[in-house]
Amino acid sequence: MSSQPKAPQQALPTPIGVGILGAGPVTQAIHLPSLARLGEILTVRHIMDVDPAVAESVAARVGAAHSTSIDALLGDPAVEIVAICSPHQFHAEQVIAACRAGKKAVLCEKPFAMNAEEAAQISAVSQETGVPIIVGAMHTFDPGWLAAQENWDDLPETAHTIRSSIVLPPNARFEDFATEVITRPASGTPDYTDPEVIKGALRGGVMGLAIHDLPLIRRFTPDFKDIEVLEARHVRPFGYVISLRTPTRTIELRAAMNNTWKPEWSFEAFSDDAALRIDFTPSYVQAGSAVAAFTRGSQTTVHGPFDHNGYEGEWRELAALAAGTKQPPSAQTLIDDLTFALDIADATVANVESRHAVAEGAHA
Ligand SMILES: NC(=O)c1ccc[n+]([C@@H]2O[C@H](COP(=O)([O-])OP(=O)(O)OC[C@H]3O[C@@H](n4cnc5c(N)ncnc54)[C@H](O)[C@@H]3O)[C@@H](O)[C@H]2O)c1
C-alpha cells in the first residue's frame, strides 16, 4: 500500500505577547474583552498592578503571569507589546521605560502625558529607540471614522462648525455591565459651590472625556493653535458645555453623564455645502463601529456599521506596528493632539477663573 508523502506542516504564526501595566476598570472592562476576540494575533502574557490582589485576580482570568513591579513586566521576554493603563500621572515615565526596554510597540491610555515637556521627552525616546507609540484615542481607530476619512472630500479644509456631543451614564454603570470590576474606590458628593471643584471637574472633563474627540476636532481645525474659549460651564452631576473659536472655526463641546437610558456620542462637522455626522458606540460597549453619514447637497452616503469598534481597532494597529507591517503615527501628531487638549483645558479653567473674579468683584 502506497502512502502519499505528508505535506509539510505550516506553523501557525504565534500570537504577539501583551503585557499590561495597571489592571483597573479600563483593563478589565475594555481591553481584556477586546483582546479576547483577537486571540489569533495577540495574547496577554503578563499583568502588573501595584495592588497585588488586583494583579493576581485579573491575570488569573486570562492565564497570564502577574506582578506588582514594572521591572518584572518589562523584564519578561514573553511581553512584546506593553499597554499602559495606570492612572494618568504614571503614563509618561511608564511609556519611556517600555521604550527603553526595547519592546515592539506601546499603547498608552489617554492622556499619554500631562504637559508638553513630557510629550516632547516621550517622542524623543520613541525616535531614539525606534519603538512605536500609539495613544488610546479609540475613535481615531474606529472603522466608521476611517471610512469617513476616505470619503469626506475637502470638509476638513472647508468646515466652519464642529460639535462633539456626549450623553452617557456614569462609567461605573458600563464597567459593571461589562465585567465584575474589583476594587472600585468609594466617591463622595463634590462641593459644587467651590470654584476649585468646578475647575478640577472641567479640567478632568476635557482631559478625561473630551480628549477622545479632540484629535478628530483638530483634524478639522487647521488653525488649532489659535484657540479661544468663549464660555465654559460645568454641568451637574458631571459634564460640561464649552464653546470655543479659532479665527476660522466655531467649536462646541458638550457632555452630560447622568442616568440617561439612551447613550449618545456624536461628532459633527459642517461647511456651507457639506456635513458629516458620526455616531460612535459608547466607551465600554463592544457593539461594533461608529456609523458615519456624509452629506453634500441632497446626497447622503452612510459608512458602517462595521464589525469592530475603535478599541479592537487600536489593538489591531498595535499588532501591525509590532509586526512592522504598518507605519506609526508621527510623533508631531501625538504632541499636537496633546497640546491642543492642554490648551483647551487651560483656557477653560481661565474662563471659569475670570467669571469668578467678576462675580467676586460685584459682591465686593
Ligand atoms: N479609552 C477609554 O475609553 C478609557 C476609559 C476609561 C479610562 N481610560 C484611561 O485608562 C487609564 C486607567 O483608567 P481606569 O479607569 O482603569 O483607572 P483606575 O485609576 O481606576 O485604575 C488604574 C489601576 O492602576 C493601578 N495603579 C496605580 N498606580 C499604578 C502604577 N504606578 N503602575 C501600575 N498600576 C498602577 C491601580 O491599582 C488600578 O488598579 C486612565 O489613564 C484613564 O484615563 C480610558
Side-chain angles (χ1 to χ4, degrees), residues 69-191:
S69 102
I70 179 169
D71 291 342
L73 182 137
L74 296 180
D76 182 342
V79 172
E80 297 165 277
I81 290 178
V82 179
I84 289 145
C85 305
S86 53
H88 58 73
Q89 64 270 31
F90 304 109
H91 289 181
E93 67 181 69
Q94 293 183 342
V95 172
I96 289 174
C99 289
R100 294 237 179 267
K103 298 300 176 185
K104 289 186 176 160
V106 174
L107 164 68
C108 184
E109 263 308 338
K110 50 80 191 169
F112 81 113
M114 290 312 287
N115 54 56
E117 294 76 46
E118 275 183 2
Q121 259 178 28
I122 292 172
S123 119
V125 174
S126 169
Q127 269 169 351
E128 179 198 323
T129 56
V131 178
I133 299 170
I134 62 172
V135 177
M138 68 282 186
H139 288 169
T140 60
F141 300 98
D142 191 298
W145 164 258
L146 296 174
Q149 192 172 308
E150 296 296 308
N151 293 283
W152 62 37
D153 300 337
D154 60 355
L155 190 56
E157 291 75 47
T158 56
H160 46 64
T161 305
I162 306 152
R163 286 203 296 240
S164 159
S165 173
I166 303 168
V167 182
L168 290 176
N171 277 358
R173 195 145 137 208
F174 280 131
E175 291 160 6
D176 291 345
F177 282 149
T179 190
E180 289 172 12
V181 172
I182 56 168
T183 66
R184 182 187 301 296
S187 58
T189 308
D191 174 5

Side-chain angles (χ1 to χ4, degrees), residues 22-52:
V26 82
T27 293
Q28 296 176 47
I30 292 178
H31 292 310
L32 294 185
S34 300
L35 285 161
R37 287 198 304 278
L38 295 169
E40 284 185 9
I41 53 169
L42 293 162
T43 185
V44 184
R45 296 288 195 188
H46 199 132
I47 300 268
M48 174 268 173
D49 197 288
V50 289
D51 182 330

Side-chain angles (χ1 to χ4, degrees), residues 156 159-165 206 210 213-232 240-254 266-270 340-341 344 348:
H160 46 64
T161 305
I162 306 152
R163 286 203 296 240
S164 159
S165 173
V206 173
D213 281 359
L214 295 180
L216 281 53
I217 292 173
R218 199 176 70 77
R219 183 78 176 75
F220 286 78
T221 311
D223 47 1
F224 67 91
K225 292 196 172 154
D226 202 353
I227 197 98
E228 182 190 357
V229 168
L230 302 172
E231 186 74 75
Y240 49 77
V241 176
I242 303 172
S243 295
L244 306 138
R245 73 173 170 213
T246 68
T248 63
R249 301 291 189 266
T250 303
I251 301 169
E252 272 180 47
L253 307 176
R254 286 170 178 267
S266 65
F267 168 87
E268 294 165 288
F270 305 87
F340 184 49
I344 292 175
T348 294

